[in-house]
Amino acid sequence: MILRSATRPVAHAMSPIICTVDIVLLTLQRGMLHVALLKRDHAPFAGVLALPGGYVHAAEDADARDAAERTLREKTGIVSPYLEQLATFSGLARDPRGWSLSVTYYALVPDDVIAAANRPEVVLVAIDKLRGLPFDHQQIIATAVQRVRDKSAYSSLPVYLCGKCFTLPQLQSVYEAILGEPINKVSFRRKIDELDILEPIEGALEAGKAHRPAQMYRLKPRYGQHLSLTNRALNARS
Amino acid sequence: MILRSATRPVAHAMSPIICTVDIVLLTLQRGMLHVALLKRDHAPFAGVLALPGGYVHAAEDADARDAAERTLREKTGIVSPYLEQLATFSGLARDPRGWSLSVTYYALVPDDVIAAANRPEVVLVAIDKLRGLPFDHQQIIATAVQRVRDKSAYSSLPVYLCGKCFTLPQLQSVYEAILGEPINKVSFRRKIDELDILEPIEGALEAGKAHRPAQMYRLKPRYGQHLSLTNRALNARS
DNA sequence: ACAATAGTGTCTCTTAGACAATATCGA
DNA sequence: TCGATATTGTCTAAGAGACACTATTGT
């Protein structure tokens, strides 16, 4: 027993590994993907804009997802219906405090949810205007954006960027903003129809524009949390 | 400073989080996916077959991937050309020792690589014959298999299950074993041709069979590590 | 010669994209 | 009525799967 513990001591006695979660909260503003950032309270990088994140609290969090939900709620006041694990970033190099490990998650919300949370300290920055982020947050965000683009081509993921109700032309422009290219209108409607996730809101039309009003739709109740997948991409290019 | 440390002490002082890596090493035997397991040396679950895994050693591992490569090499003698992060599993419930976090990776190797490592303690178990695995290893393996199936439909991933050279019919049967259904021969060859990752080995034919011999191929040198992706799935079903 | 599988040509059917016709609003 | 965009129908082209034909081995 003494011998064994001398050759391989248990990890938590020997390794002060810093365990954190970071959340990439994405939304769409003026047709551009934006990420929510906050000024850091403490060193290192105090005052610098960074991803909302924090330590895993083993005493209160059931698991890392719990820690991510709690951190997002505490730091931004938002509870996101869609929150998925992205990847884990780790190593000695990424944090000056020492060997660290961050389990990262990404979330998509319509931008009125961010407005409703009413936290002026939450800053939305366009994903192509990011500068001087601390740690490896730039890489984490790039990974999240890539994941969202890849998934969007094959799934209903972008509906989480829309509000409770929306028109098909609105949804199409959300897809186009994410994929970064125009989508054929007829093909798009065929795909959405195949996904079978939307239902028209009886009698609700988008009024006020100087043209034929569009039908409003909402997500079918059973698709509140999980995605629907297509067999083929919406658009072959990427 | 005292006040801050009282309200939020740093994580590694307050939280004995167990940081580990686990590797899902997959191979194909007799047309079935198998996973490499080892009998655990120590408690908990001493003597039970489990995934190769171990503590992250902050002092020697540059990051979690490094820890995974080291652990795989130490426990199985194998260095896998393809090793990718799968997901991170965490929480209080998964390990009786306490709140733990495992960054998991998956690797694909041809089964002769496992034989060449000559480690009789490495046991290959068919993925549909797994029983009584400790921790959440069953779920980790299920996640890995699902990931491999999803990726295989759109990429050259299965070539890592073949040896250095192979025929197109052999490669097709590997794809079929993973996807779990027959693939149209003409479509398959069109896809592989599009991927543009293989080159014929001049004059090398698979001899010995009572029929026309097949041309042998190898992966083009530059595709040693990374995948090639298709726009459309090999097979629409899943 | 025969059985068996490799490798290739070609036809058909499905599906994505182009185009266009119709519908319905505000001005 | 006109301008604008929503919605739907239909044609065309690209790609996937079916089928079949030729090629080449061992027996």
Side-chain angles (χ1 to χ4, degrees):
Chain A
M1 195 53 166
I2 288 169
L3 194 96
R4 191 191 123 205
S5 120
T7 54
R8 174 154 305 181
V10 291
H12 58 270
M14 72 190 257
S15 307
I17 293 177
I18 302 166
C19 288
T20 63
V21 290
D22 286 297
I23 298 96
V24 181
L25 177 65
L26 295 169
T27 193
L28 214 49
Q29 267 197 342
R30 299 178 303 281
M32 274 291 305
L33 268 181
H34 286 61
V35 60
L37 302 177
L38 288 162
K39 277 199 178 155
R40 287 179 56 81
D41 282 337
H42 308 299
F45 305 110
V48 176
L49 283 176
L51 290 173
Y55 295 114
V56 172
H57 294 176
E60 26 175 336
D61 302 321
D63 53 25
R65 158 175 284 269
D66 240 44
E69 287 174 4
R70 174 184 55 74
T71 300
L72 184 62
R73 190 178 59 245
E74 288 176 0
K75 300 242 172 177
T76 70
I78 288 168
V79 176
S80 173
Y82 188 80
L83 180 78
E84 188 174 277
Q85 192 181 114
L86 176 63
T88 294
F89 295 79
S90 64
L92 183 59
R94 59 185 299 278
D95 189 319
R97 286 167 291 187
W99 215 104
S100 69
L101 184 154
S102 174
V103 187
T104 66
Y105 288 78
Y106 69 101
L108 303 182
V109 293
D111 73 340
D112 58 359
V113 166
I114 295 180
N118 196 28
R119 297 282 185 105
E121 69 270 27
V122 174
V123 180
L124 295 180
V125 180
I127 50 104
D128 59 354
K129 297 238 162 38
L130 297 167
R131 299 262 185 290
L133 293 178
F135 311 109
D136 49 2
H137 286 191
Q138 178 92 42
Q139 189 197 343
I140 293 171
I141 295 168
T143 304
V145 170
Q146 190 58 52
R147 176 79 62 89
V148 169
R149 292 204 165 121
D150 289 349
K151 278 209 143 181
S152 293
Y154 289 92
S155 78
S156 58
L157 185 59
V159 300
Y160 295 104
L161 289 172
C162 297
K164 288 207 180 304
C165 60
F166 47 85
T167 69
L168 291 183
Q170 283 168 1
L171 182 60
Q172 179 170 351
S173 68
V174 170
Y175 269 89
E176 289 172 338
I178 295 174
L179 299 177
E181 60 185 351
I183 301 172
N184 180 279
K185 181 171 56 169
V186 179
S187 299
F188 177 76
R189 284 165 181 256
R190 269 194 297 245
K191 281 288 175 199
I192 297 299
D193 192 58
E194 275 171 32
L195 286 173
D196 192 35
I197 51 168
L198 301 184
E199 56 189 13
I201 303 172
E202 298 298 329
L205 299 178
E206 182 199 36
K209 301 286 183 62
H211 54 76
R212 175 174 174 177
Q215 174 66 49
M216 306 283 293
Y217 289 83
R218 66 175 155 237
L219 201 58
K220 287 187 180 177
R222 71 168 165 288
Y223 291 101
Q225 307 289 334
H226 62 88
L227 300 181
S228 179
L229 301 175
T230 55
N231 285 333
R232 295 168 199 281
L234 260 161
N235 194 309
R237 285 162 292 174
S238 181
Chain B
M1 195 54 165
I2 288 168
L3 193 97
R4 192 190 124 207
S5 122
T7 54
R8 177 153 303 180
V10 291
H12 57 271
M14 73 189 253
S15 304
I17 293 178
I18 304 167
C19 287
T20 62
V21 290
D22 286 298
I23 297 96
V24 182
L25 178 64
L26 296 169
T27 193
L28 214 48
Q29 266 197 345
R30 299 176 304 279
M32 273 292 304
L33 267 181
H34 285 61
V35 60
L37 302 177
L38 288 160
K39 276 199 178 155
R40 287 179 56 81
D41 282 337
H42 309 300
F45 305 111
V48 176
L49 283 176
L51 290 173
Y55 294 113
V56 172
H57 293 176
E60 27 175 334
D61 302 321
D63 54 24
R65 160 175 284 269
D66 239 44
E69 286 174 5
R70 174 184 57 74
T71 300
L72 185 60
R73 189 178 60 245
E74 287 176 1
K75 299 241 172 177
T76 70
I78 288 167
V79 176
S80 174
Y82 189 80
L83 180 77
E84 188 174 277
Q85 192 181 114
L86 176 63
T88 295
F89 296 79
S90 64
L92 184 60
R94 58 186 298 278
D95 189 319
R97 286 166 292 186
W99 215 103
S100 68
L101 184 155
S102 174
V103 186
T104 66
Y105 287 78
Y106 68 101
L108 303 181
V109 293
D111 74 338
D112 58 359
V113 166
I114 295 179
N118 197 28
R119 296 281 186 105
E121 68 271 28
V122 174
V123 181
L124 294 180
V125 180
I127 51 105
D128 60 354
K129 298 240 160 43
L130 297 168
R131 298 263 185 289
L133 292 179
F135 310 109
D136 49 3
H137 286 191
Q138 178 93 41
Q139 189 197 342
I140 293 171
I141 295 168
T143 305
V145 170
Q146 191 58 52
R147 175 79 63 90
V148 168
R149 291 202 165 124
D150 290 349
K151 279 210 144 183
S152 293
Y154 289 92
S155 77
S156 57
L157 185 60
V159 300
Y160 296 104
L161 289 171
C162 295
K164 288 206 181 304
C165 60
F166 47 85
T167 69
L168 290 183
Q170 281 168 1
L171 182 59
Q172 178 169 351
S173 69
V174 170
Y175 269 89
E176 288 172 339
I178 294 175
L179 298 176
E181 59 186 350
I183 300 173
N184 180 280
K185 181 172 57 167
V186 179
S187 300
F188 177 76
R189 283 165 181 256
R190 270 194 295 243
K191 280 289 174 199
I192 296 298
D193 193 56
E194 274 171 34
L195 286 174
D196 192 35
I197 51 169
L198 301 185
E199 55 188 15
I201 304 174
E202 298 299 328
L205 299 178
E206 182 199 36
K209 301 288 183 60
H211 55 75
R212 175 175 174 177
Q215 173 67 50
M216 307 284 292
Y217 289 84
R218 66 176 155 235
L219 201 58
K220 287 186 181 179
R222 71 169 167 286
Y223 291 101
Q225 307 290 333
H226 62 90
L227 299 182
S228 178
L229 301 176
T230 55
N231 285 332
R232 294 166 199 281
L234 261 162
N235 195 307
R237 286 164 289 175
S238 181

